[in-house]
Amino acid sequence: MKKKLSIVDIANALNVSKTTISFILNGRAQEKRISSELIERVMKYVAEVGYKPNSLAKSLRTGKSNTIGLMVEDISNPFFASIARLIEDRAYKNGYKIIYCSTDNDTHKTRELIDMFRDRHVDGYIMAPPEGIEEDIQSLINDGMPVVLFDRHLPKVNTDFVEVDNYFGAYNATKHFIEQGFKNIAFVTFLSSQTQMVDRVKGYEEAIKSENLEAVVKEIAFNQNDELILEPLRDFLKTHQDIDAILSGNNHLGICCLKIMKELNIQVHSDIALISFDDHDVFELHSPSISAIAQPVEAIADNVITVLLKRLNALSIPEKSQAIILKTDLQIRNSSIRKLL
Amino acid sequence: MKKKLSIVDIANALNVSKTTISFILNGRAQEKRISSELIERVMKYVAEVGYKPNSLAKSLRTGKSNTIGLMVEDISNPFFASIARLIEDRAYKNGYKIIYCSTDNDTHKTRELIDMFRDRHVDGYIMAPPEGIEEDIQSLINDGMPVVLFDRHLPKVNTDFVEVDNYFGAYNATKHFIEQGFKNIAFVTFLSSQTQMVDRVKGYEEAIKSENLEAVVKEIAFNQNDELILEPLRDFLKTHQDIDAILSGNNHLGICCLKIMKELNIQVHSDIALISFDDHDVFELHSPSISAIAQPVEAIADNVITVLLKRLNALSIPEKSQAIILKTDLQIRNSSIRKLL
DNA sequence: CTGAAAGCGCTAACAT
DNA sequence: ATGTTAGCGCTTTCAG
């Protein structure tokens, strides 16, 4: 078990003071006008023995950890997983590490996670916030921490966020249903006051209203246990035999709809048309293929990290916070059209 | 921006020495025979002002970070995502945080990640190791770090690991194909010398051989870019029209098979039967539903964390390392049977 | 029972 | 151009 080297070991071995080593290692050699010969010697030795500064000590001293805390709703949901991957990659390239966690939309758990991140001295926060976490985020911001929200935002909290135009995405998909001649279009969503969900419902309702149709919104309580989502859905479909199209509020619900329809032997497309918010591998592969309102995951990840890095590098006066709204992309597949492609 | 409290602030406010505070906070009050009255007073004040010890300083001092590093192949693969979730939960309940990362099966990237974990002073490692990382892991172990491998192991490295009986899983699935009357059964896998993949091929080959059939193994180079996986697969299917059943080495390849078959208008089940290693939402939902060799994700996660916690709490003499092999569960669905259910 | 003080490894103001 | 030194916040030995 080889002992871990410290900066003092290096300094002693080279007969130089540790300050000098520190300066050289932190690229302040020029500024301090250290002889390039010495720099060379130090760098060579450091590489040779494989010395790595102890980042714990460094963080303790500088107050910076070069870590970003990322909180998604559920890392096993492909939408969040892919965004997390992209953010991780970009952060990594910019010298930041990511610690990520799933909130499960649980306010209490989220609060604990924020505490943990805080405790770990993360330099910035990226999160898809659950409801009821406003105060905690505000307190983070008050303490000068950069916070970027994505997928949704908190109206009461003034900070940067990146999301898609949920209203338009749902509006547009609903209009598409109507154009295809569907009349009894239901919207299935989670019981939630999160902005993205609220906007999606609104978009749906406006589109329905504009055509003088009747809005049917089925709200289901969010639950980790899938069976508790499938059950109300099953009831809903059984008691609403007249429905000819469903718009689901996210991919999780979309998949639940598919499961129930399979179970009840309801044919997707010929019995009930379907469009889901958020794309998913399943949708493309399904027979018939399922239309989806795809979110531009790369663009979301890019914008999130860009905004955060800007804050992180900002020297002083915090700029006004920005809201970045991206466009969704309606992927029309077989599940939502009258005639199969 | 409220200043962060330190142990000194608490000590001053209460007119007690910081040592005493430290003892009380770390549950050593009894041992040090501190008056329960004082303990009471300190605890109350700490709760009141919401003081949290700085974990960075604590880690620097104690050399323990209460963090576990978890490296999976790809966090956006549901198999790894669900294991990661389960491990995270269990670790959390035992006072450990998890930092996780995707290796992408990239040895170089993995090496960097190990460095980063090391740098962060994680207390233990859980990983699904890529090939070629043996030395790095060995060096970790030599330095006394607990390392638990899962999903696969490294024959040259003597450490704990948890995996399923891959040989039997594949053998069994192949036998099932044969029982159903399929004769030209192909095995599609990644070009890999990882133990789990090797064992799966072996299981397949043994089963084929036992029935005097001909083994057809298609090996595809692992690639992040799906198109580079689909292409050889497309070629393979075009040039092997006689194949009537495919066993895929993992869920990723299983999904790729589905994609290609859809594209080439090959009917799953009636044209080619299919079983995939690793279960996936897609498989259950697909029409026809796809048979899969399911891995017991809960049991894997449970065993991994249990073994690691045992090491972490072990006071001294490292016990012999253990190999935990779990059973797979063949989920027979419509894609692999002669007559539809 | 409690306190003083050393020290984990690093950075940076302040000498020299 | 390089060295001295004082912390960052915490734990822990040793002395009262």
Side-chain angles (χ1 to χ4, degrees), chain A residues 16-20 33-35 61:
Chain A
V16 184
S17 114
K18 60 177 183 164
T19 311
T20 309
R33 281 179 291 183
I34 292 170
S35 73
R61 183 62 235 244

